[in-house]
Amino acid sequence: MLREAYPFVEDSFSRFPSQSNIYGLCQAGEQELLAATLKGKVVCFRYQELQQKVRPVAKEVQFTYIPVDAEIVSIDAFNKSSPKRGLVVGITFIKDSGDKATPFLNIYCDYEPGSEFNLESIAQSCLNLELQFTPFQLYHAEVQCPDGGLETVFLLSGHDQRIHLFKENASLHQFEEQPVEKLFPELQQLPSNVLWLDMVSVAVGRRLSAYGCQNGCVGLALVNQSGPEVLQSWRVQFDSPISTVLLFPLSCQTKSSEASGEKSEEVSGYNLLITSTIEMAVVYRDVQECGLARSTCLSGSDQWDAVLCALVIDLDFDGQKEVLLGTYGQELLCYKFRLAGSGRDGEFQLQWRRSFKSPLLSIIYLDLTGDGLRELAVLTLKGLHILQHSLACTADLVLQRLAHRVSALATSSELQPHEAADTEDSDAPAPIEGVTNQTPAC
């Protein structure tokens, strides 16, 4: 039985000229999306003010050096790490020349001052790299440099059972492939072709890295970036190809705090969500402490064909994150972790599900309209859906929390005089043994 109502309303739908895939959607900057189609087209989606109203606009961006007969495989974008400035876009595609299919990676970046974030200018500044392998996921990660600074790099998985690292050479104004073991020693000697990769910084100078492979193997590693050095590593085997791995923190409110009305939370560390093409989705909990020993299945997640995409976000604004799964069976599923008893054990329960008219390929949560309230972008086989929170429900929630805050402040102000009196009494000097309170004689 579903416990909660579906919290979104659909604001817009943009139909694409051809279908995309699970690597075909990325965020570009703060309020823009880039969606790539298999027929070599890249569409930029944003909201802009038209006739005194904020309206969705989908516009094709003419990225150079992508042939008309090319099939785009993956796309990714990132803002350069400070103090550098600029938006970088990467696109992998396969050019079919008839007798031979040749893969490429195009990296777009404009170094002209004032144009670093202009997408139209960036699309004309291309570094074209021919690849010797069929590309899969294009991913970016921020790494710690030897000088203590941070830099964002591209990681590209391929059918050669390797991860390829592309790092910027600032002096030459271009990106170059470098040995991946220099910065990512955990990505050596992989058991199969990597289909999905995810990383997260967990402490100063440390990161967790996870990858899912075509043969069903999942790898997890805790890495000290200052070496870099692999501190611990784990592997687990599934029976089908891995579609998504996702690292996320999980905080959950204890039952005792719920009873008392307090908002204290129990943080259970970082968790690893794994989805595969046949089996139920699984969450391994507190992987820093337990590795891959504590698993929890998301019951029913295998009932709507393969899970192709996943996202972990706080949808209902209660401070506790929900797990979203998008399936080839055209369903969007939402799970929430519920504690069992007073301990840290519990289960993920299905809260709601929503049907679409075509398979779900990718989902991103971002503020497209710039109003402070994020939208859910859902890429399907036929196009891009933009889902917004119900403004009426969100307004009611804001009013409830404001009323609660006012009530708490009123209660606090009533208690303050009593606390001040107690403070004055406690601040009075206590008599010291052996000393009498006498006025010294002149």
Side-chain angles (χ1 to χ4, degrees), residues 261-429:
E262 298 176 358
K263 293 295 182 182
S264 59
E265 292 179 342
E266 175 192 356
V267 179
S268 58
Y270 279 86
N271 305 268
L272 176 61
L273 170 66
I274 301 172
T275 68
S276 61
T277 56
I278 295 177
E279 301 158 87
M280 280 192 293
V282 178
V283 172
Y284 287 91
R285 298 190 55 211
D286 202 5
V287 293
Q288 282 179 271
E289 297 295 328
C290 306
L292 300 178
R294 295 180 62 197
S295 63
T296 303
C297 291
L298 276 63
S299 179
S301 58
D302 57 343
Q303 299 301 307
W304 290 276
D305 215 317
V307 176
L308 298 182
C309 53
L311 191 64
V312 180
I313 49 177
D314 180 13
L315 285 178
D316 53 9
F317 312 113
D318 66 347
Q320 303 175 42
K321 294 184 177 182
E322 288 78 38
V323 175
L324 292 181
L325 303 178
T327 73
Y328 191 82
Q330 308 176 16
E331 295 289 326
L332 179 63
L333 312 176
C334 177
Y335 287 83
K336 195 177 188 71
F337 184 75
R338 304 288 184 182
L339 283 171
S342 58
R344 301 176 68 176
D345 293 328
E347 63 178 356
F348 286 88
Q349 298 176 354
L350 182 63
Q351 302 299 294
W352 51 260
R353 63 184 179 91
R354 198 260 200 190
S355 298
F356 288 76
K357 293 184 178 180
S358 59
L360 280 67
L361 303 176
S362 182
I363 44 180
I364 296 180
Y365 192 53
L366 76 165
D367 183 9
L368 283 167
T369 57
D371 61 355
L373 194 61
R374 295 184 180 186
E375 285 77 35
L376 187 68
V378 181
L379 178 68
T380 69
L381 207 62
K382 294 183 179 180
L384 183 65
H385 299 259
I386 302 298
L387 310 178
Q388 292 185 331
H389 288 276
S390 168
L391 294 182
C393 296
T394 306
D396 289 342
L397 179 61
V398 171
L399 292 174
Q400 290 174 14
R401 293 192 177 177
L402 285 174
H404 177 76
R405 182 62 176 165
V406 170
S407 176
L409 289 172
T411 304
S412 176
S413 62
E414 291 175 2
L415 295 175
Q416 192 170 359
H418 302 288
E419 293 176 354
D422 294 341
T423 303
E424 290 176 1
D425 294 340
S426 62
D427 289 344

Side-chain angles (χ1 to χ4, degrees), residues 23 25 35 37 43 81 100 157-158 168 197 199 202 233 257 264 273 293 296 303 324 326 337 347 376 407 417:
Y23 306 130
L25 183 67
T37 65
V43 178
S81 302
K100 180 184 178 183
S157 60
E168 183 182 21
L197 179 69
M199 296 180 181
V202 295
S233 63
S257 62
S264 59
L273 170 66
T296 303
Q303 299 301 307
L324 292 181
F337 184 75
E347 63 178 356
L376 187 68
S407 176

Side-chain angles (χ1 to χ4, degrees), residues 34-237:
L34 291 177
T37 65
L38 295 182
K39 296 301 182 182
K41 307 293 184 183
V42 178
V43 178
C44 176
F45 187 92
R46 64 163 69 94
Y47 278 76
Q48 64 184 54
E49 189 172 342
L50 297 172
Q51 299 177 351
Q52 299 182 340
K53 290 186 178 181
V54 178
R55 301 179 186 274
V57 176
K59 179 183 178 182
E60 182 182 344
V61 181
Q62 301 292 336
F63 282 92
T64 58
Y65 295 99
I66 299 181
V68 293
D69 59 346
E71 291 191 3
I72 295 180
V73 178
S74 52
I75 187 170
D76 192 27
F78 63 83
N79 288 334
K80 293 182 181 181
S81 302
S82 181
K84 297 181 180 179
R85 285 174 46 81
L87 175 69
V88 181
V89 179
I91 300 175
T92 68
F93 62 91
I94 297 176
K95 178 183 178 182
D96 189 359
S97 303
D99 58 336
K100 180 184 178 183
T102 307
F104 290 89
L105 166 63
N106 283 4
I107 299 179
Y108 300 87
C109 179
D110 196 334
Y111 291 91
E112 188 71 25
S115 301
E116 301 96 336
F117 296 97
N118 186 315
L119 194 57
E120 298 294 338
S121 298
I122 292 170
Q124 305 305 310
S125 304
C126 175
L127 172 65
N128 181 253
L129 301 172
E130 184 175 344
L131 304 175
Q132 303 302 318
F133 56 90
T134 302
F136 295 139
Q137 183 196 20
L138 182 61
Y139 181 81
H140 68 270
E142 195 172 58
V143 294
Q144 185 175 319
C145 301
D147 60 1
L150 297 175
E151 185 167 359
T152 305
V153 300
F154 274 128
L155 293 169
L156 177 60
S157 60
H159 88 295
D160 57 352
Q161 207 166 305
R162 293 176 57 197
I163 301 289
H164 298 262
L165 166 67
F166 295 89
K167 185 173 179 291
E168 183 182 21
N169 185 327
S171 61
L172 297 178
H173 285 188
Q174 66 181 27
F175 280 73
E176 300 173 342
E177 183 172 3
Q178 297 187 4
V180 71
E181 60 270 14
K182 288 180 60 178
L183 297 175
F184 300 92
E186 69 272 28
L187 300 181
Q188 301 180 83
Q189 301 177 350
L190 299 171
S192 178
N193 299 330
V194 172
L195 300 182
W196 204 268
L197 179 69
D198 191 38
M199 296 180 181
V200 62
S201 296
V202 295
V204 177
R206 292 191 176 188
R207 70 168 174 262
L208 280 170
S209 301
Y211 58 82
C213 297
Q214 194 171 6
N215 70 347
C217 180
V218 174
L220 174 69
L222 177 63
V223 181
N224 181 1
Q225 296 194 67
S226 60
E229 176 189 6
V230 178
L231 302 177
Q232 286 181 286
S233 63
W234 305 267
R235 284 187 181 180
V236 64
Q237 185 67 45

